[in-house]
Amino acid sequence: MKRRDLDSYKDLNDPVQLAGLKRDSRRENRARNWYKFTRNPLSMVGLITVLTIVVLAVFAPFIAPYPEHVKPFTDFKNASRPPSAEHWFGTDEIGRDILSRVIFGFRFSLMMGLVVLVIVVPIGVLLGLLAGYYQNSWVDSLIMRTTDVFLAVPPLILALAIASILQPNLFNAMLAVCLTWWPWYTRLVYGVTSGLRNEFFVTSAEVTGARLPHILFREILPNCVSPIFTKMSLDMGWVIILGASLSFVGLGVQPPRPGLGTMVSGGTRYLPDQWWISVFPALAIVVLVLGFNLLGDGLRDLFAAEDS
Amino acid sequence: MPEIILTAKGLKKHFVIGHEDLRRKKPITVKAVDGVDFDLVKGETFGLVGESGSGKSTIAYMVAGMYAPSGGELIYKGKSLFDGKKERPLDFKKDIQIVFQDPGSSLNPRRTIAQNLAVPLQIHRPECDITRETIRLLELVDLPQSYLFRYPNSLSGGEKQIVAVARALATDPSLIILDEPTSALDVSVQGKIINLLMRLQKELDLTYLFITHDLSLMRNIATRVAIMYLGKMSEIAPGGEFFSHPRHPYTRMLLSAIPVVSEEEEKLKPEKAVSRGEIPSPVNLPVGCGFNTRCLQAADVCFRDDPKMKIIRPDHLARCHLLEERS
Amino acid sequence: MSDAPLLDIRNLEVDYRVFGGTLHVLDGIDIRVKPGEKIGLVGETGCGKTTAMKSSLGVLPSPPGLISGGEILYRGKNVLNYGQKKMNSIRGREMTMIFQDPMAALNPVFTVGRQFEPVLRHAAGRRLSGSEVREMSIAALKNVALADPERLLDSYPTQLSGGMRQRVCIGMALSTNPKLLIADEPGTALDVTIQAQVLSLLNGLVDDLNTAIILITHSLGVVREMTDRVYVMYAGVIVETAPVRDLFSNPRHPYTRGLMESVPKLSGGGLSSAIMGRIPDYMHPPGGCRFHPRCPNATEECRHLKPALTTVGTDHEVACHLYGGEKNRAESSGKSAPNGASKESPAGGERTQGRNLHA
């Protein structure tokens, strides 16, 4: 169905027309945003990269040429083969197909990023909203000084410490990353909120008698969504790198499961002769992180253009 | 007998902006509003005029409930607006609404017009059909219904301000504070909004407290005008008389500074009362009359005592040593 | 007066390239400034007045801005052909500008004195000694009636009031003895009593220095009190130009009239919302006369044919089909008749080129 000109809806007491206007207004906004987003070719590249990787990760068992190579598996006959028609990325030191393992590796990386952000963002955002709204009060001091403490510790070191005290596995690696990551969101949202809390639309809601949850979640939060999404997209890359770094030093995804970081570190022993064992997983990380970064830049441009 | 809906008695607002000493014993205060009395008559447009720093917006914000006064009283329909409680009762919030100066920031840019209009409805009239009510509000202010699900960004500044007016009307208030509603807009748009406001005032029996720096605008719409200078009122008079017989030297200075577009208006300006000096800092108020630093007629007494409000004529008050009180 | 114009903007067209198309912001405007003349450029927000002036100073941000036609002659030479270096030798020396918000024009982290330095050096075109700079800046501040200039030079812009800052900016702009001063809403951010002081000061100074001034403003009142000649702009077009007395006593263009009626009068009588609708979309401006969708007198002709500036009185020109030369249907809407409308415009309806403005 084609979008109608919004001014053609005349009688909104008619529920059908009302619904039509609502739908078409929404479509128009969406079309405008999509148009703006597609103006920047790099953000399109980012979007396509990310989508491709997500599809690969979700349907890994059907796409990977040798899904069984992800489980405990050895094939010494085909060990350490360079890239060829059967094994596009070659095979590793015990004969597993690297392409298949990279595709499955995306799963762990994406999951790592996703789980971390799903936990971190709500916590960080809520604290940021509260601290920003109650600016210059004890709430503000308490929350923001705590975030300062967490931000003062280098994330990788903290994650290493936590992951090494607890069992080295994917779950604990995520936990460690979560602990280091929420303050960034608190900071971000704090900045936006403290700027917005004196805007007239917030004052107007207060003066009319709106309650705190309405002001925080209906008035202020929608204005934080764009920076949050932008940061999330950029952070996916960083969290993935952090996860891969933990895997690289043996504190993340445990063999034989294929973490991209684990694979890179496993292959370093065979460098430079059997370069493909670590180079392809490393490239996979690069592509993944780059994709998310380009997407994030695109989102940022989009939201910036919306405000002007 | 006109019904008085709002009375301010000795209204004061002092802000502490810092301290002179590190131990925070000697506060530096700004006397933004320093003892103001006025009444608001039901159905009138009361113009509160002043330059920046005169305290006019502070009065508006106190009436709207954004700040509590530091002294004095605000009585609305017989009840005090500030009776020591922290939160103002919801009834008052429903009855007194405010429209802000900057149309850009008075609507939430990430929410549609419908959502923006729904905020006061959800709070004060949760039982009504909110969608239908928002449509009615748009009709009331003559905006196309197709704006309902648009975002404020796609509206012009004037249209945004009209939506802000519609939002203020949503609670069915009796007093609306208009804080420079048109000063950020072009004159052609201003005309449209002012005429809309005047129509709504008649239709809905509204009282306006109109804050502005634009005297010529007040000449055209205000029932009564009050001039603020350094946190105090210097002159209050009915609209017509105010402009035909300005009494306070500051009023005369203001009037003569207005750039006008015709000879006819030029004649209405007081004999060249040249503008000079600037408004002093409200932190260090001059001794005596606040206007003595700029007044061309200042006498010795003006540097000694702060003048009292005098009744010059019925309804016409001015605060100046040089004017004769009428007995 | 037959002296050659100082600045002559001829048929200037400016486009902005943006997402989704091109905004035709200026649609062929002509402005002429004689030495020492005081010009007012009036129009509402977004009519292109600032764009026109930025183009003249060679500071139009590009992209998105693009000068797509016309020429800007400064003392008879087209400055659009000048390189950055050549332009720099004029800008800040012979042409200067002051802005609406003096706080934005002054750098808050340097003292006033420090900010005078580069301005004076650029104007002098040579290194100046510290004492020379100080002397010259004190003179400049005295010029704008600022008390205690010595102390002022060592204070920071935030320590000054709005009126004082604008005086400092004026002093700075005029310290180079420019031939042309472009003032973009110089009093708008100030209180009315302060605005009156600043504008009367500015007025006196440009008279003394014989500096030509282009005053960009949306306030008709300010224009009436300060300028000799007014250009009224609407949506990237000059719709009317006349000597100031003439314009205010006898405005011709429906837009000018509407604008004047919209201004709240000290004589009272309510407010007019004479101009209906909103400003056009620059991406798809209305064909013909850009004002026709909002014009109470629009005819079929207005929808298709762009009206050219036509002389309707002494030095009074208007771009409107109501005053179409030989057709001379001027007496169609209320106000007094354009006496002698066609006397000086033998070919009234023709395009703007080759018209004789200051005959």
Side-chain angles (χ1 to χ4, degrees):
Chain A
M1 200 160 58
K2 238 186 109 51
R3 227 169 47 231
R4 269 171 64 182
D5 180 13
L6 297 185
D7 292 318
S8 68
Y9 292 101
K10 293 286 181 228
D11 181 23
L12 294 187
N13 291 321
D14 172 8
V16 180
Q17 287 213 21
L18 182 68
L21 176 67
K22 198 171 187 172
R23 189 187 56 229
D24 284 350
S25 305
R26 219 176 264 160
R27 280 186 187 161
E28 192 178 283
N29 288 328
R30 226 178 285 151
R32 188 181 302 132
N33 286 342
W34 177 244
Y35 178 81
K36 277 190 216 142
F37 186 78
T38 53
R39 288 309 90 187
N40 182 354
L42 278 180
S43 47
M44 283 304 287
V45 171
L47 181 68
I48 291 167
T49 312
V50 168
L51 283 180
T52 314
I53 290 174
V54 168
V55 168
L56 284 177
V58 170
F59 299 103
F62 310 101
I63 293 171
Y66 305 95
E68 68 279 8
H69 289 200
V70 174
K71 306 190 180 82
F73 175 89
T74 47
D75 178 9
F76 291 110
K77 261 207 321 270
N78 287 319
S80 304
R81 290 282 170 92
S84 64
E86 297 115 274
H87 302 285
W88 290 2
F89 287 6
T91 60
D92 64 7
E93 72 278 12
I94 52 172
R96 293 175 298 191
D97 177 48
I98 292 179
L99 175 61
S100 305
R101 290 177 62 78
V102 164
I103 291 174
F104 275 90
F106 282 140
R107 277 193 156 185
F108 291 104
S109 285
L110 285 179
M111 203 158 77
M112 172 97 188
L114 210 64
V115 171
V116 166
L117 290 183
V118 163
I119 296 170
V120 157
V121 171
I123 296 173
V125 168
L126 180 68
L127 290 175
L129 282 174
L130 283 170
Y133 185 74
Y134 291 110
Q135 214 185 357
N136 299 328
S137 71
W138 63 269
V139 181
D140 174 9
S141 312
L142 181 72
I143 294 176
M144 293 321 289
R145 295 303 79 77
T146 314
T147 62
D148 286 347
V149 169
F150 274 85
L151 286 173
V153 182
L156 188 60
I157 308 278
L158 183 61
L160 279 174
I162 292 168
S164 57
I165 294 167
L166 305 169
Q167 283 291 320
N169 58 32
L170 184 63
F171 175 79
N172 284 338
M174 287 194 223
L175 186 78
V177 177
C178 284
L179 267 173
T180 64
W181 222 269
W182 65 268
W184 292 110
Y185 285 88
T186 307
R187 267 249 173 123
L188 175 77
V189 174
Y190 174 78
V192 181
T193 308
S194 47
L196 286 170
R197 77 165 297 359
N198 293 321
E199 293 278 315
F200 285 134
F201 63 85
V202 174
T203 312
S204 164
E206 286 170 345
V207 169
T208 314
R211 304 261 144 246
L212 183 64
H214 173 94
I215 292 171
L216 290 189
F217 299 119
R218 294 292 180 82
E219 301 291 344
I220 297 178
L221 186 59
N223 289 279
C224 302
V225 165
S226 48
I228 292 173
F229 267 109
T230 308
K231 184 162 175 56
M232 275 171 76
S233 177
L234 296 169
D235 274 2
M236 272 299 273
W238 291 109
V239 172
I240 287 166
I241 287 187
L242 191 54
S245 310
L246 287 175
S247 299
F248 183 87
V249 296
L251 298 172
V253 183
Q254 296 300 308
R257 293 159 106 195
L260 292 175
T262 323
M263 290 163 71
V264 175
S265 82
T268 49
R269 272 172 289 161
Y270 308 99
L271 281 173
D273 299 332
Q274 290 150 33
W275 52 271
W276 55 90
I277 301 181
S278 51
V279 164
F280 282 112
L283 276 179
I285 296 175
V286 169
V287 170
L288 183 58
V289 172
L290 194 67
F292 274 111
N293 273 292
L294 291 178
L295 178 66
D297 284 345
L299 289 174
R300 188 176 49 207
D301 293 349
L302 168 66
F303 293 129
E306 215 170 272
D307 291 330
S308 67
Chain B
M1 185 67 199
E3 186 192 344
I4 288 171
I5 68 166
L6 182 82
T7 306
K9 277 189 202 156
L11 193 62
K12 281 182 186 169
K13 180 71 193 176
H14 297 178
F15 294 100
V16 176
I17 53 160
H19 293 84
E20 279 176 47
D21 54 335
L22 284 172
R23 293 170 62 212
R24 297 173 156 255
K25 286 280 160 61
K26 294 178 215 151
I28 304 173
T29 43
V30 168
K31 294 178 176 171
V33 176
D34 198 23
V36 162
D37 304 271
F38 65 94
D39 292 326
L40 232 59
V41 178
K42 190 167 173 54
E44 78 170 336
T45 301
F46 187 75
L48 200 51
V49 183
E51 297 182 275
S52 44
S54 63
K56 57 189 194 302
S57 286
T58 310
I59 291 182
Y61 294 165
M62 281 192 277
V63 178
M66 286 158 61
Y67 314 134
S70 327
E73 277 188 289
L74 266 177
I75 295 157
Y76 180 75
K77 291 187 175 166
K79 286 180 214 148
S80 172
L81 280 177
F82 296 91
D83 50 2
K85 276 193 215 119
K86 223 177 155 203
E87 267 291 289
R88 177 184 282 200
L90 222 50
D91 300 353
F92 286 147
K93 291 190 170 183
K94 174 183 176 304
D95 238 29
I96 303 176
Q97 284 286 315
I98 181 162
V99 175
F100 290 104
Q101 171 176 9
D102 178 9
S105 99
S106 57
L107 301 180
N108 192 331
R110 296 272 179 240
R111 309 191 80 210
T112 60
I113 302 304
Q115 286 170 322
N116 268 296
L117 288 175
V119 175
L121 294 171
Q122 285 156 350
I123 297 164
H124 294 286
R125 296 159 66 192
E127 74 292 339
C128 74
D129 177 345
I130 286 176
T131 316
R132 185 145 298 185
E133 197 54 28
T134 49
I135 296 171
R136 190 186 69 82
L137 285 169
L138 281 186
E139 267 170 14
L140 190 64
V141 297
D142 282 337
L143 279 182
Q145 299 182 347
S146 60
Y147 281 13
L148 209 54
F149 301 108
R150 288 203 194 167
Y151 285 90
N153 277 350
S154 58
L155 272 59
S156 71
E159 287 168 335
K160 280 184 213 170
Q161 199 59 298
I162 293 177
V163 175
V165 170
R167 182 179 60 190
L169 293 173
T171 61
D172 196 12
S174 21
L175 169 61
I176 297 185
I177 302 150
L178 302 163
D179 183 18
E180 308 231 23
T182 56
S183 63
L185 305 170
D186 281 316
V187 278
S188 66
V189 183
Q190 165 169 288
K192 201 167 152 191
I193 292 182
I194 295 294
N195 287 335
L196 170 76
L197 286 169
M198 294 297 111
R199 171 171 71 79
L200 292 169
Q201 182 172 40
K202 262 187 227 132
E203 282 175 20
L204 305 171
D205 195 18
L206 299 167
T207 309
Y208 290 149
L209 175 60
F210 203 122
I211 316 293
T212 182
H213 63 268
D214 188 346
L215 265 178
S216 31
L217 177 61
M218 285 301 104
R219 172 68 185 87
N220 289 281
I221 61 171
T223 326
R224 290 191 303 149
V225 179
I227 299 278
M228 294 279 301
Y229 189 79
L230 271 188
K232 289 177 180 156
M233 274 186 187
S234 54
E235 185 163 5
I236 310 178
E241 174 155 325
F242 193 94
F243 291 88
S244 57
H245 299 96
R247 301 304 299 274
H248 197 281
Y250 178 57
T251 312
R252 299 161 73 89
M253 183 190 280
L254 270 182
L255 278 171
S256 74
I258 300 174
V260 296
V261 297
S262 66
E263 285 299 325
E264 186 192 350
E265 289 177 87
E266 204 76 69
K267 288 182 195 122
L268 293 168
K269 287 188 181 181
E271 291 296 301
K272 217 40 180 170
V274 190
S275 289
R276 63 165 200 180
E278 301 197 7
I279 221 171
S281 149
V283 180
N284 297 309
L285 292 175
V287 180
C289 173
F291 188 58
N292 61 23
T293 55
R294 303 172 75 186
C295 187
L296 294 164
Q297 290 125 299
D300 286 347
V301 63
C302 305
F303 292 94
R304 225 170 32 235
D305 303 320
D306 196 19
K308 298 231 159 21
M309 201 54 124
K310 291 175 186 166
I311 301 168
I312 312 283
R313 286 192 195 189
D315 284 353
H316 193 149
L317 293 91
R319 216 168 51 79
C320 178
H321 286 300
L322 305 170
L323 298 172
E324 294 290 320
E325 182 143 22
R326 180 179 176 273
S327 48
Chain C
M1 282 228 301
S2 63
D3 38 356
L6 185 68
L7 183 75
D8 190 358
I9 300 177
R10 288 188 185 166
N11 203 20
L12 181 69
E13 289 176 37
V14 175
D15 291 344
Y16 282 126
R17 297 278 151 83
V18 293
F19 278 155
T22 304
L23 306 176
H24 308 285
V25 175
L26 292 186
D27 190 27
I29 62 162
D30 298 76
I31 295 174
R32 217 179 250 211
V33 187
K34 285 183 280 186
E37 199 179 19
K38 287 183 250 175
I39 295 286
L41 185 56
V42 201
E44 294 183 284
T45 314
C47 72
K49 43 193 199 299
T50 303
T51 299
M53 288 308 111
K54 281 188 173 164
S55 311
S56 309
L57 282 172
V59 292
L60 183 73
S62 173
L66 182 78
I67 296 174
S68 52
E71 46 190 8
I72 298 172
L73 305 179
Y74 178 72
R75 297 182 156 194
K77 299 222 177 63
N78 191 353
V79 297
L80 296 180
N81 300 332
Y82 282 11
Q84 267 311 320
K85 209 171 162 198
K86 189 90 190 272
M87 200 63 221
N88 257 333
S89 69
I90 302 178
R91 195 195 307 138
R93 292 184 193 167
E94 300 187 16
M95 282 192 213
T96 53
M97 188 155 182
I98 52 177
F99 299 91
Q100 171 171 1
D101 181 5
M103 198 57 224
L106 295 171
N107 189 334
V109 302
F110 291 123
T111 59
V112 171
R114 274 291 299 278
Q115 307 193 42
F116 260 103
E117 229 171 270
V119 175
L120 294 170
R121 281 206 176 127
H122 176 71
R126 61 182 175 92
R127 286 197 66 80
L128 297 170
S129 71
S131 56
E132 265 182 296
V133 168
R134 201 160 174 91
E135 243 167 65
M136 289 165 84
S137 17
I138 287 173
L141 290 180
K142 275 190 182 148
N143 237 345
V144 287
L146 281 167
D148 206 354
E150 297 270 350
R151 211 193 45 177
L152 252 170
L153 282 180
D154 297 324
S155 45
Y156 290 88
T158 41
Q159 296 167 315
L160 311 179
S161 71
M164 284 162 92
R165 279 182 219 138
Q166 194 61 288
R167 280 166 193 253
V168 169
C169 287
I170 293 172
M172 231 179 246
L174 294 179
S175 66
T176 67
N177 231 331
K179 297 274 177 285
L180 175 67
L181 175 69
I182 296 176
D184 190 354
E185 307 263 10
T188 308
L190 306 173
D191 281 315
V192 59
T193 55
I194 310 298
Q195 166 173 301
Q197 295 171 37
V198 167
L199 292 182
S200 87
L201 171 85
L202 183 62
N203 209 2
L205 285 174
V206 292
D207 276 347
D208 292 348
L209 296 171
N210 198 29
T211 299
I213 180 169
I214 303 182
L215 184 73
I216 309 176
T217 181
H218 65 267
S219 164
L220 284 167
V222 168
V223 159
R224 181 171 169 277
E225 297 198 346
M226 258 199 80
T227 62
D228 305 326
R229 179 172 194 86
V230 188
Y231 287 82
V232 182
M233 245 181 121
Y234 175 78
V237 182
I238 300 283
V239 293
E240 185 163 6
T241 169
V244 70
R245 296 272 154 242
D246 208 16
L247 187 90
F248 281 88
S249 60
N250 194 5
R252 305 297 180 92
H253 198 281
Y255 177 67
T256 317
R257 283 194 205 155
L259 210 53
M260 288 204 189
E261 281 167 34
S262 313
V263 178
K265 306 289 184 305
L266 261 186
S267 42
L271 248 69
S272 140
S273 37
I275 306 173
M276 310 304 290
R278 52 195 284 188
I279 55 165
D281 171 11
Y282 281 101
M283 208 173 283
H284 309 286
C289 172
R290 282 192 172 186
F291 186 59
H292 85 251
R294 305 173 75 179
C295 183
N297 315 343
T299 62
E300 196 51 34
E301 191 182 12
C302 305
R303 271 178 260 282
H304 304 298
L305 191 64
K306 186 186 165 189
L309 277 174
T310 311
T311 309
V312 292
T314 319
D315 262 5
H316 194 150
E317 291 184 76
V318 58
C320 179
H321 288 305
L322 292 175
Y323 309 94
E326 71 278 336
K327 286 176 217 128
N328 211 353
R329 287 176 278 104
E331 186 56 302
S332 62
S333 59
K335 293 254 172 167
S336 57
N339 38 358
S342 55
K343 201 164 55 193
E344 293 170 37
S345 64
E350 82 184 24
R351 289 266 150 180
T352 44
Q353 259 88 13
R355 80 228 158 70
N356 196 356
L357 213 157
H358 303 280

